[in-house]
Amino acid sequence: MFDVYRSDKRDLLVLSTGSAVPMLCSAHKWRKSRKRVLKVSDEIKSAVQAQGYYVRSLRATKERMIEFE
């Protein structure tokens, strides 16, 4: 199972259950999602196994805004 955290900067952090937030990511304030996540994509699962966490920015960048228009 996995724990999912969100930051105030709209970043997403996925950890295996019971893991502590890595020092690299501790600069942001993370809020844990209330829902339990049982299944994630293969990309996220392999990243969590390899480095212990997966981080993704959910912010809308200018390139994404241009693509959607």
Side-chain angles (χ1 to χ4, degrees):
M1 293 207 295
F2 299 91
D3 292 333
V4 177
Y5 295 85
R6 291 178 301 164
S7 74
D8 53 348
K9 303 270 187 203
R10 294 189 45 99
D11 292 333
L12 180 73
L13 173 65
V14 180
L15 302 168
S16 58
T17 302
S19 298
V21 176
M23 293 299 285
L24 176 70
C25 301
S26 63
H28 299 292
K29 295 214 176 203
W30 296 97
R31 284 183 267 152
K32 187 174 181 180
S33 174
R34 293 178 190 255
K35 295 182 181 179
R36 291 190 314 174
V37 178
L38 301 174
K39 197 173 190 181
V40 294
S41 69
D42 291 333
E43 175 188 353
I44 295 173
K45 189 183 297 183
S46 63
V48 170
Q49 288 175 348
Q51 60 191 37
Y53 62 92
Y54 174 81
V55 177
R56 182 176 73 196
S57 176
L58 298 177
R59 288 176 254 174
T61 61
K62 289 182 181 179
E63 294 93 27
R64 288 185 187 169
M65 295 297 285
I66 293 171
E67 289 175 10
F68 291 130
E69 292 178 356

